[in-house]
Amino acid sequence: MAETRQVWRLAKRPVGDIRDGDLVFRDEPLPELQEGQFLLKVGYLSLDPTNRIWMSDMEQYMPPVELGAPMRGGVVGRVVASRKPGYEPGMLVAGFSEWASHIVTDGTGMGPFPEIPGLSVAQLFGTLAAVGPTAYFGLLDIGQPKPGETLVVSAAAGGVGQIVGQIGKLKGCKVIGIAGGADKCRYITQELGFDHAIDYKSQDVGAELDRIAPEGVDINFEQVGGKIMSAVLDRMKVFGRVPLCGMISGYNATDGEEEPGRWTMLLMRRLTIRGFIVSDFADRFPEAYQALIGWMLEGKVKTRQDVRPGLDKADEHVKLLYSGGNFGKLLVQVADI
Ligand code: NAP
């Protein structure tokens, strides 16, 4: 059994982009297992845009990570020793925990994770925790898609976006994805079946929307904010819906400026805009898991993971999210499990 573990701790709150020294990587002794605890060997760490929010002390939906504390993150791993009934060695367990190689825990925020023949741990973890439920509830509950409607999704080749577009197709929508670069645009149309892609890095988003969706937009699944959001909002139909999922273009901003309000237009078009955090739907996660696993096994929803080796490089890997360097749900492979 391991006697030490490797862990990332938050040393400084980043200003702007995450920089060397904001996080520190350490070898630490493993605490002795107490009654009611188990030891988890981490297999994969999920890196998510919200990590940058947790590193800051801006207003947010859960407490920021405290300075000096282990960096918070989603993990999946295998129990290697246990003094907690129901958590036997060999079991897969996932949940909110720490950027670490091993975790001694009483299981708060964690739970057993399924093993499904035909789906790898990376595929399943990279879909269910928690980009898949985000796409599922954001689109179906808030977006309310109907056959024939036009759905636009930004950050379309990423963890959430790729799933939103495919569920939109299953619901009979015309799906337009906005992504950065030709490879991502080719992927979402040719591999995932989106109707159109707009490469915001080389095309004018507004002009492209006018060309491919002259009818206007019923649902804008918003993940980016800024100019891309403005271009889509300008083209919303009356009674359009906006699941407000993320605003990644502003996560590293230092000017603290918010998007300008456009209240008169929102009123005239009677738009419904609802911000949401996937945990708002936690009591219905089993419904999303069942649907997503079913679609994956039937080949109706494909999910792509971008798996990077090495916990020791996690501080570099996480930066990929804010530059578009990831292609699919970003995971770190910490160990073979
Ligand atoms: P992701 O899409 O896999 O990765 C982030 C992507 O955002 C990048 O690959 C990049 O794609 C795009 N991006 C980054 N900076 C950008 C910018 N300045 N302008 C335009 N695009 C930019 O990450 P994800 O986990 O699926 O998250 C996507 C969004 O959903 C984020 O805003 C995240 O905060 C949000 N989210 C919300 C919830 C919730 O509960 N509300 C849960 C999960 C995620 P390109 O190469 O295409 O630029």
Side-chain angles (χ1 to χ4, degrees):
M1 208 173 86
E3 288 177 355
T4 60
R5 69 171 192 157
Q6 298 180 306
V7 58
W8 283 99
R9 288 182 180 268
L10 183 65
K12 281 186 276 175
R13 300 210 182 277
V15 178
D17 295 341
I18 300 166
R19 291 186 200 289
D20 291 350
D22 292 342
L23 292 154
V24 290
F25 191 56
R26 292 200 189 140
D27 274 316
E28 295 181 356
L30 261 181
E32 205 173 308
L33 216 51
Q34 305 296 316
E35 198 56 43
Q37 292 183 327
F38 59 90
L39 171 64
L40 195 71
K41 179 183 178 187
V42 175
Y44 295 95
L45 166 68
S46 173
L47 294 178
D48 297 278
T50 198
N51 292 160
R52 176 65 185 80
I53 297 175
W54 295 340
M55 290 177 202
S56 79
D57 56 7
M58 66 182 274
E59 180 184 351
Q60 50 196 282
Y61 55 91
M62 60 198 298
V65 175
E66 284 180 23
L67 288 177
M71 182 58 205
R72 184 190 297 140
V75 298
V76 64
R78 238 175 245 288
V79 176
V80 289
S82 179
R83 296 183 65 188
K84 183 177 172 78
Y87 285 80
E88 308 314 325
M91 262 179 76
L92 271 188
V93 171
F96 269 135
S97 192
E98 302 172 342
W99 289 21
S101 62
H102 296 78
I103 295 159
V104 171
T105 173
D106 63 5
T108 303
M110 312 189 85
F113 193 74
E115 297 197 65
I116 309 277
L119 298 173
S120 68
V121 175
Q123 250 179 320
L124 214 48
F125 178 62
T127 304
L128 301 185
V131 291
T134 305
Y136 180 91
F137 293 113
L139 181 61
L140 297 181
D141 271 56
I142 303 174
Q144 303 268 330
K146 294 166 198 65
E149 288 192 330
T150 298
L151 161 69
V152 175
V153 55
S154 46
V160 177
Q162 57 178 339
I163 302 173
V164 169
Q166 293 177 86
I167 299 177
K169 286 308 300 172
L170 289 173
K171 297 295 167 188
C173 293
K174 168 172 163 179
V175 176
I176 301 167
I178 303 174
D183 285 349
K184 291 185 178 181
C185 287
R186 202 174 306 117
Y187 174 69
I188 59 177
T189 51
Q190 294 182 13
E191 301 279 326
L192 303 186
F194 290 28
D195 297 282
H196 301 278
I198 300 174
D199 175 2
Y200 74 90
K201 289 188 173 164
S202 68
Q203 293 180 298
D204 178 323
V205 173
E208 281 305 296
L209 282 173
D210 290 340
R211 189 177 67 78
I212 58 189
E215 71 280 8
V217 176
D218 296 282
I219 306 166
N220 173 30
F221 196 101
E222 184 57 54
Q223 308 214 80
V224 165
K227 288 185 182 148
I228 295 175
M229 177 169 84
S230 282
V232 185
L233 283 184
D234 279 341
R235 289 158 180 85
M236 295 294 294
K237 287 189 196 170
V238 170
F239 295 120
R241 285 89 64 199
V242 183
L244 185 53
C245 177
M247 302 282 279
I248 194 169
S249 69
Y251 292 174
N252 289 343
T254 49
D255 57 15
E257 274 190 27
E258 275 289 344
E259 304 291 328
R262 306 180 59 194
W263 303 106
T264 308
M265 183 272 277
L266 303 182
L267 167 65
M268 297 307 161
R269 302 220 193 139
R270 286 87 99 197
L271 301 187
T272 301
I273 302 182
R274 179 173 156 196
F276 74 101
I277 298 296
V278 64
S279 50
D280 302 341
F281 297 91
D283 57 348
R284 288 174 53 204
F285 277 3
E287 170 193 331
Y289 294 163
Q290 199 185 356
L292 289 159
I293 291 170
W295 286 328
M296 287 167 83
L297 290 173
E298 289 165 353
K300 290 182 176 162
V301 167
K302 295 184 197 169
T303 64
R304 174 178 180 134
Q305 291 76 43
D306 183 340
V307 182
R308 306 280 169 147
L311 180 65
D312 58 327
K313 302 277 192 311
D315 65 330
E316 287 301 318
H317 300 322
V318 74
K319 295 177 192 165
L320 298 170
L321 293 165
Y322 314 99
S323 64
N326 65 307
F327 193 166
K329 172 73 197 89
L330 186 60
L331 301 176
V332 175
Q333 180 154 29
V334 179
D336 286 328
I337 52 165

